[in-house]
Structures are given as C-alpha cells and as structure tokens.
Amino acid sequence: MKRDPELVVALPGGAPLAAALARSLRCGWSELALHQFPDGETGVRIDASVEGCCVMLAGSLNQPDAKTLPLIFAADAARDLGASQVGLIAPYLAYMRQDIRFHPGEAITSRTYARLLSSSLDFLVTVDPHLHRVHELGEIYSLRTQIVPAAPLIARWLRSHVPSPWLIGPDEESAQWVAEVARLTGAPWTVLRKTRRGDRDVSVRIAGRERWPERVPVLLDDIVSTGETMLAAASLLKRTGMRVPVCIAVHALLETQAYRHLLAGGVSRLLTCDTVPHPSNAIRMAPLLARAARQISTNQNARP
Ligand code: R5P
C-alpha cells in the first residue's frame, strides 16, 4: 500500500523525541519555529515542505498550557499548507486526571482538552494515559488514537535488574499498570489505599495481610508529580520493616526540587520511562511510538 511521505515536526521541547522518531521512521524532521511577539502572542512557522505529507507533531504535553496553543496553531498551519493528515505523538498526554467534578463548579478539563485536540488533529499516539473513570480515550477523544503500553518495557527492565520483585501500587488507580507488569513478570502484587487531602498532603495504608519480606518491593505508578505519593508509600514500607523499594513511574512530571525531596526522603532510586525528559529516565519509548505512529497513520479507516 502506498504511504504518503512522513515528516516529524518537533513541538516545544520535543526535538530529541522528533529526532528519535524520524530515525526509526527513516523520514525527515524539523523544529517548529516559534516567535514571541511583544504583546505576548505567539507566531509559529513550519520550516519544511508539508504538501502531501503525513505530518506528525511530536512532543510531550507536560507543562501543557504553554505548549497547547503552538500545537493547535502548528496543526492548522500544516493542514493549510497541504498536509494529507496531521497527527500528534505525545508520549505524555496532559489533562487526563480531572475526569470528574471533584468540587462544585469545577471544569472537567479532560473533556474540554480532548475536544480541543480532536478538533485539530487526525490521530493521537500516547503512552499510558491516565485512564481511570474514563476507560478509553475514545470516550472523550473523537480522533483515531493509539496507546503504547509501557508495561512490557518495565517488565523487561525488572527481569534483568530485580530478580525477585514484589510489585506495589500506591493507590487503587495504579492497579491496572501494576497488575499488567505482575502478569508479565510472574511477580506477586498489591495495591495500597491512598487518601489525598491536598496537592501535597497524601497518606497511604496497606489494606491486605499479604507481605513478601524476602522479595524486593517495587513501587509502581503511572505518574510521579510532587512525589508525595511515592514518599508516603516508601515510608509506609519502611515502617512495616520492608526493604528499601525500587520506585518506577511511567511519567516523570516532577521538578528538580520535588525530585531532590523524594531522593532525600528515603527513595533511593527512581526510574522512569522517557515520556517526559527527566534525569530519572531509563526506559526508551521512541521505537514503540514510531511503530504505533506508522500503524495509525496508515490505517485511516480505523474507528476514532
Ligand atoms: C494519581 O492518580 C496518579 O496515579 C499518581 O498517583 C499521582 O499523580 C502522583 O502524584 P504526586 O506525585 O503528586 O503524589
């Protein structure tokens, strides 16, 4: 089947990802040129020919507010300039956690954000979005989507580095990732009960009676942001006499200060996938993202 030429365009902060995708796809890539006008508005320019191309905008959507308008402008510009389709390869997809109204009057931002991206793009590829009360991206996104799971790569890392792990999710929401990595490694698993009273006020407790003191505890979550969830879980394990855990997260959203706080607070090592550039990155996702991008871009009949 004939494929349109592919072009990867790096969104702000997405140059290393764009280069890695282009290497895997054997296509060209270009950085989106941005200009900040004195009045605070942003101009964007695509410095490559997009006519007839499948344009893949590449970049993670951590710190999303500053990145989203350039992304929408770039998508519209690419279409205007003759791109055959425009997709987004965003290893971290923002605004998935506010999936209900937790307090009266709050916006359900996951839905609004999904509508915004869906109105400008043909497809979206991402790694383990935070699906909780929304079970599938298709419930809120009306474009073709493909999810790349991190579990097989995390399981592979564990098999070669931690001979006898006990997988622990810090809250019930993490059960889906923990259960899958446990299935792939054959390790036992447990999830803790979490209470969040504020952005930085978290406590966890262990509910069941199951303990595996002879195994290495591995704390696994999809997102580490302030680090408070990981810290609370690590100190609970310490209090119950378990070994120091290995901590793994798919998406590292934590800033330098929070990372220092985490390492100083009893987490000896944090390991993450490179969905968000961070010193803790140890698992590369680009080859799987490139494969998924090629699949979804050539399968234009797939249901949104
Ligand atoms: C929550 O639902 C997520 O799965 C993570 O547990 C959470 O985002 C971690 O946040 P923090 O590091 O700020 O405690």
Side-chain angles (χ1 to χ4, degrees), residues 97 130 132 170-171 173-174 177 194 196 199-200 202 221-230 253-254:
R97 284 178 287 175
H130 188 83
H132 180 40
D171 55 25
E173 292 172 39
S174 62
W177 295 284
K194 175 163 97 178
R196 184 183 283 283
D199 289 344
R200 289 164 204 280
V202 172
D221 206 353
D222 62 331
I223 295 173
V224 55
S225 175
T226 63
E228 294 300 333
T229 300
M230 282 287 186
L253 300 186
L254 76 177

Side-chain angles (χ1 to χ4, degrees), residues 35-296:
H35 177 72
Q36 203 69 52
F37 290 103
D39 59 6
E41 293 186 358
T42 302
V44 310
R45 195 182 65 241
I46 302 173
D47 288 327
S49 166
V50 301
E51 174 100 49
C53 289
C54 169
V55 172
M56 301 179 184
L57 303 172
S60 225
L61 292 175
N62 58 311
Q63 302 291 333
D65 293 9
K67 293 177 178 173
T68 302
L69 269 185
L71 152 62
I72 301 291
F73 293 151
D76 278 3
R79 209 179 296 284
D80 235 21
L81 292 165
S84 57
Q85 3 171 19
V86 185
L88 171 64
I89 320 298
Y92 173 69
L93 181 60
Y95 282 113
M96 287 299 291
R97 284 178 287 175
Q98 178 97 35
D99 55 3
I100 55 164
R101 221 181 298 287
F102 296 101
H103 302 104
E106 281 177 353
I108 304 175
T109 48
S110 61
R111 289 185 183 276
T112 312
Y113 199 68
R115 246 193 334 266
L116 179 65
L117 296 195
S118 299
S119 66
S120 288
L121 296 160
D122 297 304
F123 63 85
L124 163 68
V125 177
T126 190
V127 178
D128 290 337
H130 188 83
L131 293 171
H132 180 40
R133 284 155 288 245
V134 171
H135 300 106
E136 288 178 10
L137 283 178
E139 287 175 33
I140 55 174
Y141 278 83
S142 56
L143 73 180
R144 281 143 43 219
T145 57
Q146 188 147 338
I147 294 175
V148 175
L153 298 186
I154 294 174
R156 190 165 77 188
W157 187 90
L158 279 174
R159 276 195 296 269
S160 55
H161 293 84
V162 184
S164 184
W166 170 27
L167 291 160
I168 303 169
D171 55 25
E172 282 133 326
E173 292 172 39
S174 62
Q176 51 184 305
W177 295 284
V178 178
E180 181 58 4
V181 175
R183 188 184 70 76
L184 294 168
T185 51
W189 65 283
T190 309
V191 290
L192 307 177
R193 301 280 179 271
K194 175 163 97 178
T195 309
R196 184 183 283 283
R197 287 170 294 269
D199 289 344
R200 289 164 204 280
D201 185 3
V202 172
S203 60
V204 293
R205 64 188 173 82
I206 194 157
R209 297 197 169 279
E210 212 181 7
R211 305 281 190 278
W212 297 85
E214 71 288 3
R215 287 178 169 260
V216 176
V218 175
L219 282 170
L220 174 61
D221 206 353
D222 62 331
I223 295 173
V224 55
S225 175
T226 63
E228 294 300 333
T229 300
M230 282 287 186
L231 268 180
S235 65
L236 171 72
L237 293 177
K238 191 173 172 193
R239 285 200 305 279
T240 48
M242 301 292 155
R243 301 203 222 167
V244 177
V246 173
C247 295
I248 304 182
V250 179
H251 308 292
L253 300 186
L254 76 177
E255 301 294 335
T256 313
Q257 196 55 31
Y259 188 37
R260 280 206 201 111
H261 181 56
L262 189 68
L263 296 180
V267 166
S268 57
R269 176 159 191 205
L270 172 71
L271 180 115
T272 59
C273 300
D274 65 354
T275 58
V276 177
H278 192 267
S280 60
N281 290 167
I283 296 175
R284 284 186 62 232
M285 298 303 301
L288 292 185
L289 284 164
R291 196 188 307 165
R294 166 82 39 90
Q295 263 170 18
I296 197 168

